Amino acid sequence: MGAIRSVEGGPLRRTARGAGRVLRAPFKAAARGVRRATHAHGAGESGLGKLIELHAVNSAGDMLITVALASTVFFSVPTDQARGRVALYLAVTMAPFTLLAPVIGPLLDRLPHGRRAAMAGAMLTRALLALTMSGAVATGGLELYPAALGVLVASKAYGVVRSAVVPRLLPPRISLVKANSRVTLGGLLATGVAAPLGAGLHKIGPEFPLYGAFVVFILGTVLSFSLPHKVDSAKGEARARLVSGEPPSHRPRRAPALTGKAGRTGGRGWKGWKDRKNGKRNGPGKTGRNRPPGLRTVGSSVLHALQANSALRMLSGFLTFFLAFLLRVHPLDGLSPAFSLGVVAVAAGAGNALGTAIGALLRSRGPEKTIALVLTVSLGTAVVTAVFYGAFFVVVVAAVAGISQALGKQSLDSLIQRDVPEAVRTSAFARSETLLQMSWVVGGAIGILLPLNGTLGMAVASAVLALGVATAVRGLLTAARRGSPHPRVA
């Protein structure tokens, strides 16, 4: 009897195993290809590859929630009611961001040993909130908004912590701007995969994208703890301040040995700290106090770059909400509202991906000039779109905004790497990211308050960018000519 089973069952089992191998082969090949790409150039050994994969999971989960909320909050109700709902959403959102600006940076400074737990907490919070929202998404009731607010705050908190983590995972052969480009590109690719998946799940039922987000964020919670332990290291860190006069809420237990030579690289002996040899005050801090330097003490490039990036981030938030409502009422020529939004979203996403790729190729050369260039080009594109408003120019301004935001942010990262001492660089990333997120919210609020007139909207966008050009471009170009007074990296 056993012989009969071996004769009859053996070939069947072998056939089943062969079929299984054939079906699994494409997925295994894709997984190996992704792993090779994310772990190249030493990223696998340093842990950067795992962060890239974690960020891809994060972006996919956020996209699934976006699909679920867009179908409920935006498309399922009349335009006036949708504007009111989104206005309520942004109004409730702005208050937490106002609190996050002064809170999340210092909180990260005080809890440097819990970064992996913080990222896992942000993932788990969104997983539970996605499951909570699945019951309310079909009706679109007001109870959806507190949960959606929690998702947004958790998402932005993850982004701030992730920006702070990247410098700890740099391989020797990869610069910070290139590492950030890789992380961002991984997120964009995951978003592109998750968008159609979310649309397909929505066809089954409005709550199914949220079920998918729950699974994705649970996976992200597990992956957060797979990051190297050095992510939680606080060795050599101190708190960064956006202004030099702000009193520190705490001081490092053990300050680095200072030499008074502000030009030394490696984040030691920076201007603004007391020289222990002679007791003289080298910067704006008071004599006798070991105070971490504000960003103003490391040159004007970082502050001007923050001003320029704030204008670009306001443009992104403005276009997101203004075009969403405008194209719903006045779609592109010959296209449906949903398809018009899709075209603009694809243009913005492709622009962001292209900007990320260009940033990786630039290798941090001339970051001040790069920021000044993309801000000026964005202003010119917005002005042309305001004068010759039409479907073509709407797509162009969305693509240019995507390219500019990506290049501007990567150049800002490069400047922070170059000009901010290593001891406070992690906190500087946290604070700059919070400021940029607040700028996006303000731009979005302007976008939903304006009348749905394309020419007027592009004129307002031009005014926002003109303010950024007036406050930042001259300073950036001047700083580029002079060079960094105290470069922290070679």
Side-chain angles (χ1 to χ4, degrees):
M1 202 65 179
I4 295 175
R5 281 198 299 269
S6 65
V7 172
E8 295 179 350
L12 291 176
R13 284 197 297 269
R14 287 194 294 272
T15 302
R17 286 196 295 268
R21 283 194 294 269
V22 170
L23 293 174
R24 290 193 300 266
F27 298 99
K28 287 185 176 180
R32 285 194 296 268
V34 170
R35 180 57 60 93
R36 282 195 299 269
T38 58
H39 286 60
H41 304 105
E45 292 79 3
S46 71
L48 180 64
K50 291 184 177 180
L51 181 62
I52 295 173
E53 294 168 356
L54 175 64
H55 187 63
V57 169
N58 172 82
S59 300
D62 279 344
M63 174 51 64
L64 291 174
I65 289 183
T66 300
V67 169
L69 291 180
S71 62
T72 301
V73 176
F74 187 71
F75 287 108
S76 63
V77 295
T79 300
D80 292 338
Q81 187 178 350
R83 293 187 72 174
R85 290 189 175 196
V86 176
L88 174 63
Y89 175 75
L90 274 185
V92 175
T93 300
M94 289 178 70
F97 273 113
T98 303
L99 296 175
L100 281 176
V103 170
I104 200 166
L107 179 63
L108 180 61
D109 292 330
R110 289 184 175 90
L111 301 174
H113 299 288
R115 293 183 184 128
R116 293 188 302 168
M119 298 173 84
M123 293 283 186
L124 183 59
T125 297
R126 281 176 287 172
L128 297 177
L129 289 174
L131 203 59
T132 301
M133 286 191 295
S134 63
V137 71
T139 61
L142 291 179
E143 66 273 14
L144 186 66
Y145 291 90
L149 171 62
V151 168
L152 181 61
V153 172
S155 177
K156 300 312 178 184
Y158 160 84
V160 170
V161 178
R162 189 261 301 169
S163 296
V165 163
V166 171
R168 288 286 174 186
L169 300 178
L170 280 182
R173 292 179 289 171
I174 298 181
S175 66
L176 183 60
V177 65
K178 191 169 185 178
N180 278 282
S181 298
R182 281 194 177 192
V183 175
T184 303
L185 189 57
L188 289 174
L189 293 174
T191 298
V193 173
L197 176 62
L201 290 173
H202 185 264
K203 293 292 185 182
I204 303 174
E207 70 278 6
F208 278 87
L210 293 170
Y211 293 151
F214 171 79
V215 174
V216 169
F217 284 130
I218 289 296
L219 174 61
T221 303
V222 176
L223 289 178
S224 297
F225 289 106
S226 71
L227 294 175
H229 290 281
K230 62 184 175 182
V231 166
D232 291 333
S233 171
K235 184 179 179 180
E237 294 186 4
R239 177 185 170 191
R241 292 170 287 118
L242 290 179
V243 293
S244 57
E246 177 189 342
S249 60
H250 71 285
R251 300 180 180 87
R253 292 182 179 178
R254 184 177 182 182
L258 304 180
T259 64
K261 298 177 182 179
R264 173 178 283 187
T265 61
R268 299 181 63 189
W270 53 76
K271 188 176 180 180
W273 282 48
K274 178 186 173 184
D275 184 346
R276 288 186 172 180
K277 284 188 176 182
N278 52 35
K280 293 182 180 180
R281 187 179 72 179
N282 292 329
K286 294 181 180 180
T287 304
R289 292 185 181 181
N290 292 324
R291 302 178 63 180
L295 296 184
R296 288 180 181 175
T297 66
V298 292
S300 62
S301 294
V302 173
L303 283 178
H304 289 309
L306 276 171
Q307 292 168 345
N309 273 271
S310 295
L312 292 172
R313 195 62 67 93
M314 285 183 68
L315 174 67
S316 174
F318 174 82
L319 292 179
T320 297
F321 291 97
F322 180 74
L323 291 181
F325 290 112
L326 177 67
L327 296 178
R328 182 176 180 181
V329 178
H330 305 291
L332 301 179
D333 296 339
L335 300 178
S336 67
F339 199 80
S340 298
L341 285 174
V343 170
V344 173
V346 168
N352 202 300
L354 180 59
T356 301
I358 294 174
L361 295 176
L362 288 177
R363 299 181 183 275
S364 303
R365 286 193 284 266
E368 295 99 339
K369 294 180 180 179
T370 300
I371 297 174
L373 176 62
V374 297
L375 185 59
T376 304
V377 170
S378 297
L379 173 59
T381 306
V383 170
V384 171
T385 305
V387 175
F388 305 102
Y389 182 81
F392 173 76
F393 288 106
V394 169
V395 175
V396 170
V397 76
V400 170
I403 295 173
S404 299
Q405 180 176 314
L407 278 173
K409 180 60 169 65
Q410 291 161 23
S411 298
L412 172 62
D413 291 346
S414 179
L415 287 172
I416 293 176
Q417 178 194 28
R418 189 193 71 187
D419 291 352
V420 177
E422 182 180 2
V424 294
R425 195 178 296 155
T426 297
S427 184
F429 273 108
R431 292 202 158 208
S432 65
E433 183 66 21
T434 303
L435 176 63
L436 295 181
Q437 296 296 351
M438 288 182 64
S439 300
W440 186 88
V441 172
V442 172
I446 296 173
I448 65 173
L449 293 176
L450 283 182
L452 298 179
N453 182 288
T455 300
L456 173 64
M458 291 302 105
V460 171
S462 300
V464 170
L465 292 172
L467 180 62
V469 168
T471 57
V473 167
R474 182 178 178 181
L476 284 169
L477 295 179
T478 301
R481 287 193 297 268
R482 294 176 179 175
S484 175
H486 312 298
R488 306 298 171 182
V489 294

